[in-house]
Amino acid sequence: MNLLEFLNRFFGRDNGASKDVAKERLRLVLVHDRVNISPQVVEALKEDLISVINKYMEIDQASLEVSLNSSDGTMALVANIPVLGIRRGA
Amino acid sequence: MGEVLVITSGKGGVGKTTATANIGTGLALMGKKIVMVDTDIGLRNLDVVMGLENRIVYDIVDVVQGNCRLKQALIKDKRFENMYLLPAAQTKDKTAVSEEQMKNLSDNLKTEFDYIVIDCPAGIEQGFKNAIAGAEKAVVVTTPEVSAVRDADRIVGLLESSGLREPKLIINRIRPQMVKKGDMMSMEDIIEILAVDLLGVVPDDESVVVSTNRGEPAVMDKASRAGQAFRNISQRITGEEIPLMNLEANSGWLEKIKRWVTKS
């Protein structure tokens, strides 16, 4: 631990307790472990989502993210899909 | 009829064998008639942790294959009236026994002993399946690290799908000072993530290294904090309600001065 780190800790400015990082990483990895779903299936789901949404909207396919998440014991499929524009008259 | 208890973890090196040796010895200290079974065929270790490595003649594979009688393979621990070890084979592999054979073996041992404590190998393959085949209750050992907790979660899932419902958790090698600083997950954090019942928390303790060097489980050392934790765990296994030990008892100012004085 260098002096700066020490002072930060001493004055309570270190807000990144490493156990919180551990907990959050575990929480996410366990969601995937528990559903036992292969990355290939997630990838296929992603491609199907793109083809459906693409009919109605122009989306940024490169930065699309699909992941499983959980909070309070319920699981959610979280998709973050940046929309570039709406296809009129589709 | 005795009770068959399997000690598992998924990940290696978290303290399964140490836990088995200490729980087994802890139960024997309470006057129970117990046998410890090492199912880590090819990588046996419970014998050295118990200090019984020089007394092996027959092993678990000899028993299930009928090369000897069960009684001939059981090593009686001379330090205790009621404690025995059934060692693993060192020169064979995990396929040398089957799940069916393990179940029969457990059923046989149940008629003779109060507790049968099975030391499970690391991993989730055949060795794991064999170890849990005859078990009625399961204990999962983990340490406060992401890798160990992740594997513990997987093991809990596999145990439950094999019909071993409600496994109990031992959190091993907790370092209270690091937990206090927020640099180690606390027992509350781990229980929240795994959603299983806690059987006990064992502090990280140098006395375990010393006792393993000597082949005398830490529960035999009255001064050992880890030994105390395992004595508590053994009592909980028999159904006694024992409160969790205060992990911070050794971090008071008096202890700090003591440590400082002995260091210099």
Side-chain angles (χ1 to χ4, degrees):
Chain A
M1 193 188 300
N2 64 31
L3 185 65
L4 190 67
E5 264 177 77
F6 174 78
L7 287 175
N8 274 341
R9 287 211 166 182
F10 190 78
F11 292 110
R13 252 179 262 159
D14 184 12
N15 47 11
S18 68
K19 74 130 181 187
D20 293 330
V21 182
K23 252 181 108 172
E24 183 56 20
R25 289 174 56 221
L26 258 174
R27 214 175 52 76
L28 285 173
V29 80
L30 289 186
V31 174
H32 284 266
D33 285 0
R34 283 171 184 168
V35 292
N36 203 11
I37 187 169
S38 74
Q40 286 80 13
V41 172
V42 177
E43 201 51 39
L45 168 73
K46 208 160 135 182
E47 276 164 29
D48 284 357
L49 271 177
I50 290 173
S51 70
V52 171
I53 296 167
N54 215 11
K55 271 170 46 187
Y56 305 94
M57 294 170 186
E58 196 185 329
I59 56 177
D60 180 2
Q61 299 190 10
S63 49
L64 175 144
E65 277 174 36
V66 175
S67 64
L68 287 163
N69 211 329
S70 88
S71 58
D72 303 327
T74 55
M75 194 166 65
L77 179 71
V78 181
N80 190 354
I81 308 170
V83 178
L84 300 175
I86 308 292
R87 295 192 201 281
R88 301 287 168 197
Chain B
M1 274 300 236
E3 190 173 286
V4 189
L5 195 72
V6 63
I7 315 289
T8 65
S9 71
K11 188 178 177 300
V14 298
K16 276 182 302 298
T17 303
T18 305
T20 305
N22 280 289
I23 289 170
T25 310
L27 289 166
L29 279 169
M30 296 170 68
K32 305 289 179 191
K33 190 175 183 193
I34 73 110
V35 58
M36 292 174 240
V37 181
D38 189 351
T39 62
D40 201 347
I41 297 168
L43 287 170
R44 79 172 167 217
N45 272 324
L46 188 53
D47 55 332
V48 282
V49 173
M50 289 301 301
L52 298 171
E53 67 274 20
N54 293 326
R55 301 196 33 217
I56 299 176
V57 181
Y58 296 107
D59 56 51
I60 190 170
V61 175
D62 292 320
V63 173
V64 299
Q65 292 183 347
N67 301 335
C68 71
R69 282 176 293 114
L70 176 57
K71 285 244 161 68
Q72 289 177 291
L74 292 175
I75 300 169
K76 182 174 170 15
D77 193 313
K78 288 171 183 158
R79 295 164 291 191
F80 296 90
E81 197 50 49
N82 299 315
M83 189 159 85
Y84 293 80
L85 169 71
L86 180 55
Q90 183 70 330
T91 53
K92 315 223 167 55
D93 64 61
K94 263 110 188 160
T95 54
V97 299
S98 70
E99 291 171 53
E100 183 68 32
Q101 288 168 328
M102 280 302 297
K103 223 193 145 308
N104 290 338
L105 176 65
S106 298
D107 287 344
N108 277 339
L109 290 169
K110 254 161 61 175
T111 61
E112 280 284 319
F113 294 92
D114 298 324
Y115 289 93
I116 295 97
V117 189
I118 300 176
D119 187 17
C120 176
I124 53 174
E125 295 84 15
Q126 195 56 47
F128 166 75
K129 290 176 190 160
N130 288 341
I132 67 166
E136 296 157 332
K137 286 190 179 166
V139 172
V140 178
V141 183
T142 190
T143 58
E145 291 152 52
V146 283
S147 48
V149 175
R150 182 195 197 174
D151 290 0
D153 186 79
R154 185 111 165 82
I155 288 296
V156 168
L158 290 170
L159 288 169
E160 287 182 341
S161 63
S162 310
L164 281 164
R165 308 248 159 235
E166 295 177 16
K168 299 269 192 292
L169 187 70
I170 292 178
I171 303 172
N172 197 14
R173 286 195 216 127
I174 279 261
R175 295 172 66 172
Q177 295 298 314
M178 288 192 76
V179 172
K180 217 174 179 178
K181 276 199 284 177
D183 275 334
M184 181 177 270
M185 284 184 283
S186 67
M187 65 174 203
E188 290 86 1
D189 293 328
I190 296 168
I191 293 165
E192 182 195 324
I193 289 167
L194 293 177
V196 290
D197 289 341
L198 186 69
L199 181 61
V201 186
V202 183
D204 193 24
D205 186 347
E206 290 178 4
S207 74
V208 173
V209 179
V210 177
S211 62
T212 308
N213 288 343
R214 298 207 163 109
E216 293 166 354
V219 285
M220 292 165 68
D221 177 1
K222 283 266 183 322
S224 164
R225 312 240 323 128
Q228 181 60 51
F230 277 117
R231 282 194 293 276
N232 292 351
I233 287 169
S234 304
Q235 284 176 291
R236 288 186 201 113
I237 287 171
T238 65
E240 287 182 41
E241 299 222 353
I242 309 288
L244 286 174
M245 65 190 272
N246 179 12
L247 292 173
E248 306 222 6
N250 257 1
S251 53
W253 60 274
L254 201 66
E255 283 299 325
K256 273 189 187 152
I257 292 173
K258 235 191 255 171
R259 245 180 279 163
W260 186 75
V261 170
T262 47
K263 242 187 233 168
S264 48

